[in-house]
Each structure stands twice: as structure tokens, then as C-alpha cells.
Amino acid sequence: MEIRQLKTFWTLASTCSFSRTAEVLNYVPSTITMQIKALEEELGVKLLDRLGKSVILTDAGHRLLPYANKILNDIEEARYVSSESGELTGTITIGADEVLCTYRLPALLRVFRERYPHVRLLFRPLSSHNLKQSLREGNVDVVFMLDEPSVSTDLHTELLMDEPFLMVVSPNHPLAACSTLCIEDFNREQILLSEKGCSYRTFFYHTLLRKGADSLTELEFNSVEAIKQCAMVGLGIALLPEMSLKGELERGELITLPWDLSEIQFATQMLWHQEKWISPSMKEFIELARSVLKLKVS
């Protein structure tokens, strides 16, 4: 088993694409195929399946991934401690949910690339319920998630920014003209919800039911942008992070409803595994995230 084969396997597991892996590692795609085939033959198992242009790991691939990650991490640490070069290199794999991918992380990633051009960044958009598991399985180095503050025994969690939420509708929605609302006003209304497993979706919906809302109709989406577009044409009521609504509110395409959301206390959080070696490049990335995203937690 060769180190380059493990690196190719790990990168392929991160990108889920042969062409993207070839681009990241500066190989031709046929080399990626050849290395994965050689690794599978040596281990005597199938590590991945191709579904069209996408790649998914088999059970054997999922079992191998944490070991590949540990080996490559140990090699990176060994290279650093034995090197006299002060230039930051290496790879950082980042995971985040869709909202933070769109509205918080682009500025951070741009600044980091400008400062440390020789550090390779691999970005993995993940659903909310997969973020912590990806850290535990070694698929990513750092994740950003929008969630309620929580404590974990194996993951380091750092709160970066409080994230206020707003309940919004189209200006033409029947509730748009109301100066005050009671729970009965939500009866038989259509609620535009994010994907199952999203913490603020669960909080929002269950809060309305607990307070007595009745006969709610649900429409579920896996995209904040889709929720906004449907709210703007009057399809229903949406609860979304304020960071995602600034443009629509300024243009008058959506308006906020007068509903108390003080129970919702969510924040942008940065997490990494407590047992992971923090490489110099990862340390710089974490410090820059603190600086760029600010520390506005109340």
C-alpha cells in the first residue's frame, strides 16, 4: 500500500469526483482510476461505487477512511516537525451547511487563499445532520454549522456569531398587514421549511404546534434560496436567518412578521475533533475564522 494511493483515496472521498480529484492532485483522471484499482486489489475489497459522475464510498471504503486520514495526518505532522521551511503547506478539508456556505464562508475562504496560496482547501457542503459525524469519521478537519449552542465530549465547539432569525412573507401575503399576531393567525397557513434534520426547522415548527397552531401545511426544501423565492411569490411563511434576507428586505420583496422569536438562540459555530493534531495551516485557518467572522456571541 502506497502513501500516494491513500492520499488519492482520501481526496476522492472528499471531492466525490474523479475529475475534481485529478485536478486537486495534478494527475490525469486515468491515474486516479489506476491508483484506486491497485489499492482495491491489494486490500481485496471494493472501496467505492460510481453513480454517473459522482462517487460514493462502499462500506469497506467508509471503514478505511478514518485510517487513511490518520496516516496522512501523521505524515503531515512528521513532515512539519522535520522541516525547516516556514512556508505553510498542506490540505484543510472544510464542511459546512448550505446557509453558511452561501452567506458566511466565502469571505473567509477568499482571505485565506490570498494569505496562504500554498495551502490546499477542500470544501464539502454537507447537510446539517452529517456535519458532526463527518468530523468523527475523519472526513473533514473543520466544520461550520448553524445551531443551538451545545457541548460535546469529543468535539471542540467554538461559538463565533449570534445569528438572529426573522419570520418573513411576501408583501401580498394576508398576514403582511397585521401589526400584531396571535397563534390562531397561523392556523391553516402554509409553512415553508428547510430539510429534515435542520435544527432551526425543527425548533420553528414544534414551537408553533406547542403554542397551539392548528392544521399547518408543510412545504419542504433543501435550499434557502428556494424557500425565499417561494415566500416572495406568496406561497407561505418562512423562518430564515437574518443574514440570508438582507437583500430581499431592502428591496421590499419580503417583509418581517411581528412575531416574538427571542426563544431562538442559534449561532454560527466552528468545530473540530479534540484528538486531531492541529497543523500550522489549520491553526492559521482557525485564527483567521475568528478574525473574519468576528466574536459577536452575547
Side-chain angles (χ1 to χ4, degrees):
M1 186 184 304
E2 299 180 8
I3 297 301
R4 61 174 182 163
Q5 293 172 345
L6 286 177
K7 186 174 183 180
T8 296
F9 166 71
W10 180 86
T11 305
L12 188 56
S14 299
T15 64
C16 300
S17 165
F18 273 84
S19 59
R20 176 62 180 146
T21 298
E23 180 183 343
V24 168
L25 298 179
N26 198 26
Y27 290 149
V28 295
S30 59
T31 300
I32 304 299
T33 302
M34 183 173 57
Q35 290 186 6
I36 294 298
K37 183 178 180 181
L39 185 58
E40 289 179 328
E41 289 177 350
E42 180 171 351
L43 296 174
V45 294
K46 189 173 179 61
L47 297 172
L48 52 88
D49 289 315
R50 286 195 186 195
L51 298 178
K53 294 183 178 180
S54 298
V55 172
I56 61 170
L57 295 182
T58 63
D59 289 342
H62 280 293
R63 290 195 297 270
L64 175 63
L65 188 58
Y67 294 98
N69 182 72
K70 184 179 186 306
I71 291 169
L72 294 173
N73 194 54
D74 288 345
I75 290 171
E76 183 179 351
E77 181 177 0
R79 283 175 176 165
Y80 173 75
V81 298
S82 61
S83 173
E84 296 181 357
S85 172
E87 184 177 49
L88 290 184
T89 58
T91 301
I92 304 173
T93 306
I94 305 151
D97 58 32
E98 184 241 352
V99 177
L100 298 182
C101 285
T102 305
Y103 298 103
R104 287 287 179 239
L105 295 188
L108 168 62
L109 300 181
R110 177 182 58 80
V111 174
F112 188 84
R113 289 290 292 172
E114 289 174 353
R115 293 189 184 181
Y116 307 106
H118 298 293
V119 178
R120 181 182 294 119
L121 293 177
L122 292 180
F123 188 75
R124 300 193 70 185
L126 296 166
S127 58
S128 300
H129 61 279
N130 285 331
L131 286 167
K132 290 184 179 180
Q133 190 61 28
S134 292
L135 277 177
R136 293 184 172 110
E137 293 176 353
N139 297 340
V140 293
D141 298 314
V142 183
V143 302
F144 295 86
M145 60 189 301
L146 179 61
D147 204 346
E148 296 176 279
S150 62
V151 177
S152 174
T153 57
D154 59 339
L155 302 179
H156 176 89
T157 303
E158 186 165 333
L159 304 185
L160 296 178
M161 296 181 71
D162 286 326
E163 298 290 1
F165 277 69
L166 298 173
M167 188 181 291
V168 295
V169 293
S170 161
N172 299 319
H173 191 277
L175 297 182
C178 297
S179 57
T180 60
L181 291 173
C182 61
I183 195 62
E184 289 77 18
D185 292 321
F186 294 98
N187 290 343
R188 292 174 296 281
E189 290 292 341
Q190 184 152 263
I191 309 298
L192 310 179
L193 298 171
S194 51
E195 62 182 340
K196 289 182 179 178
C198 175
S199 54
Y200 61 83
R201 167 232 168 96
T202 303
F203 186 94
F204 175 38
Y205 190 67
H206 287 176
T207 297
L208 291 179
L209 293 179
R210 188 174 67 250
K211 291 185 176 181
D214 186 28
S215 303
L216 298 175
T217 303
E218 305 173 37
L219 272 182
E220 183 177 314
F221 304 84
N222 60 7
S223 163
V224 168
E225 291 303 311
I227 293 175
K228 288 196 295 184
Q229 291 298 321
C230 289
M232 284 190 285
V233 297
L235 281 183
I237 302 169
L239 179 81
L240 291 170
E242 184 179 19
M243 63 174 144
S244 68
L245 294 166
K246 292 182 179 179
E248 290 77 13
L249 293 174
E250 289 174 357
R251 295 189 295 269
E253 296 167 340
L254 290 170
I255 65 169
T256 59
L257 292 179
W259 187 253
D260 181 14
L261 297 174
S262 59
E263 291 184 32
I264 301 180
Q265 296 184 357
F266 282 73
T268 291
Q269 304 173 52
M270 177 169 56
L271 298 85
W272 61 89
H273 204 289
Q274 292 189 10
E275 295 181 359
K276 182 174 181 60
W277 175 66
I278 305 299
S279 68
S281 57
M282 186 172 162
K283 180 180 179 182
E284 289 299 320
F285 180 82
I286 289 170
E287 290 294 337
L288 188 62
R290 292 174 180 140
S291 173
V292 171
L293 298 179
K294 310 296 182 185
L295 283 170
K296 297 182 178 179
V297 180
S298 57

